Amino acid sequence: MNVFEDFRDDAENDFERGVFERALESGGISEQDYEEAHSRYAECMEGAGVEEVHTKQPNGLYAREPAHLPDDDDAAEAYFEQGNECAEGTIASIEAAFNMQVNNPDGRDPSEVVADCLVRVGVVDADYTAERFDEDLERASDSDFQDGPFDVTDPEVQDCLESGGIHISVAD
């Protein structure tokens, strides 16, 4: 079964369903559909009173960060909950599919894509594997990504993570 069929069958609304129908017809999600999904997400967040900074990355995907980092756990949790609520039916599935289309058109395991990229940019040894990346990611997440074999704030590392559909935000 085609991945776009799976996404279409699980669509949250008519907008998502239409995006995946068009993707099935054309063979991919159009940049216009991705932009519309992002716009709908941004409008939802703005309507909820949440300010975000949206930066279009070289690969065409948006990185989203709060304009002001929440200063306590409750505020941070509220921010993430609102983001998840606004993502449903707008960018959640569409961005995931668009990311795969842009960064992983061969459908490789995302961890393999990231590990290969980290090796290519020289931040890990040549024998670094997808399995090791998964282990390192889990271990580093326990320390808010302070303890790991690579710096998740490094732009090259961020690009590698994004290529596998992984977005990590850490407080300064």
Side-chain angles (χ1 to χ4, degrees):
M1 181 177 247
N2 186 305
V3 69
F4 295 135
E5 286 177 352
D6 292 340
F7 279 119
R8 180 203 57 205
D9 293 347
D10 293 336
E12 296 284 327
N13 55 39
D14 289 340
F15 168 69
E16 269 190 343
R17 216 171 342 280
V19 168
F20 291 115
E21 284 291 336
R22 286 187 293 281
L24 282 165
E25 291 171 12
S26 67
I29 294 176
S30 70
E31 194 169 328
Q32 181 180 355
D33 277 339
Y34 175 67
E35 290 289 339
E36 177 63 24
H38 178 264
S39 178
R40 288 173 181 232
Y41 166 84
E43 287 173 17
C44 177
M45 291 296 276
E46 187 176 303
V50 178
E51 289 183 56
E52 284 187 315
V53 175
H54 300 232
T55 306
K56 194 163 192 176
Q57 305 298 304
N59 63 7
L61 293 158
Y62 284 95
R64 293 170 291 279
E65 302 288 337
H68 309 285
L69 287 175
D71 54 1
D72 64 53
D73 289 344
D74 290 340
E77 186 174 330
Y79 166 74
F80 288 115
E81 285 177 10
Q82 184 61 53
N84 288 337
E85 184 178 311
C86 287
E88 288 301 316
T90 61
I91 61 168
S93 296
I94 293 168
E95 187 167 80
F98 191 71
N99 180 50
M100 284 190 302
Q101 174 182 305
V102 170
N103 290 311
N104 191 5
D106 297 329
R108 295 172 54 210
D109 177 272
S111 295
E112 185 180 313
V113 172
V114 174
D116 287 351
C117 181
L118 293 171
V119 168
R120 190 173 52 257
V121 299
V123 297
V124 294
D125 295 331
D127 62 350
Y128 196 74
T129 64
E131 293 78 19
R132 184 138 164 244
F133 169 73
D134 289 337
E135 292 167 5
D136 289 342
L137 188 64
E138 185 174 336
R139 190 173 26 261
S141 68
D142 292 338
S143 68
D144 197 26
F145 300 96
Q146 300 304 308
D147 299 324
F150 45 82
D151 177 4
V152 298
T153 64
D154 178 293
E156 286 184 317
V157 170
Q158 284 285 320
D159 287 345
C160 288
L161 293 169
E162 291 284 341
S163 72
I166 299 169
H167 181 74
I168 297 174
S169 297
V170 292
D172 293 329

